[in-house]
Amino acid sequence: MTGDFSATGGGILLSFVDGFAPAPGVVFDFLETSGTFDASAPVRVTGLLPGWEFSTHFDLATGRFTVTSLSQAVAAPTPALLLRLTDVEPATATEPARFSATVSGPAGAEVAIEASTDLGNNWRELGRLTFDGAGQGSFAGLAHPESIGSRQAFLRLRSLP
């Protein structure tokens, strides 16, 4: 980054994903600036269980803001995704199964609803959405085309990267 950095009225968010949890002694070069750095900015952490200890340091000579792990971090478990079907109309010999669904999960996360008739590797995406700030979303009037004439239909909710 060129210039000065100040997080006045804001802060720094360290978000650990995909199960990564730093070990003691791991150092992250978090930010590099060519100007001054307001080191009083609050630092928040997500993706780890409470108790991880870390220190921050700004090196005026190099312009680097670093974070050093002081303890073994533990990755937070992935939040559950919940799916509740509503307005379900079963498939017939000529019409696909139709349904609506309400879903919940982590705020801002993106998910896809997928369908299959055999639970194998043949899943078809029927729709996708991003959870709102309260971790809610809904699908309305979806159809499962492969379900026509089938005796079974399966749905899954898949978290997207």
Side-chain angles (χ1 to χ4, degrees), residues 13-137:
L13 175 65
L14 300 176
S15 184
F16 294 91
V17 298
D18 297 331
F20 177 75
V26 172
V27 178
F28 303 94
D29 284 337
F30 181 72
L31 181 72
E32 187 173 333
T33 180
S34 63
T36 60
F37 180 82
D38 175 5
S40 67
V43 178
R44 288 188 321 121
V45 176
T46 64
L48 300 176
L49 292 180
W52 178 56
E53 297 175 0
F54 63 95
S55 66
T56 60
H57 175 73
F58 179 70
D59 185 328
L60 190 57
T62 63
R64 288 192 174 133
F65 176 72
T66 58
V67 177
T68 302
S69 177
L70 301 176
S71 64
Q72 177 62 57
V74 178
T78 303
L81 301 174
L82 301 175
L83 171 71
R84 183 174 155 255
L85 296 178
T86 59
D87 303 322
V88 178
E89 297 175 24
T92 67
T94 59
E95 293 293 321
R98 296 184 185 281
F99 63 94
S100 295
T102 58
V103 292
S104 61
E110 187 177 12
V111 294
I113 191 164
E114 299 174 330
S116 173
T117 55
D118 64 8
L119 289 179
N121 292 325
N122 189 24
W123 289 89
R124 176 181 176 165
E125 184 176 303
L126 302 179
R128 60 174 57 196
L129 63 77
T130 301
F131 291 119
D132 65 18
Q136 303 295 313

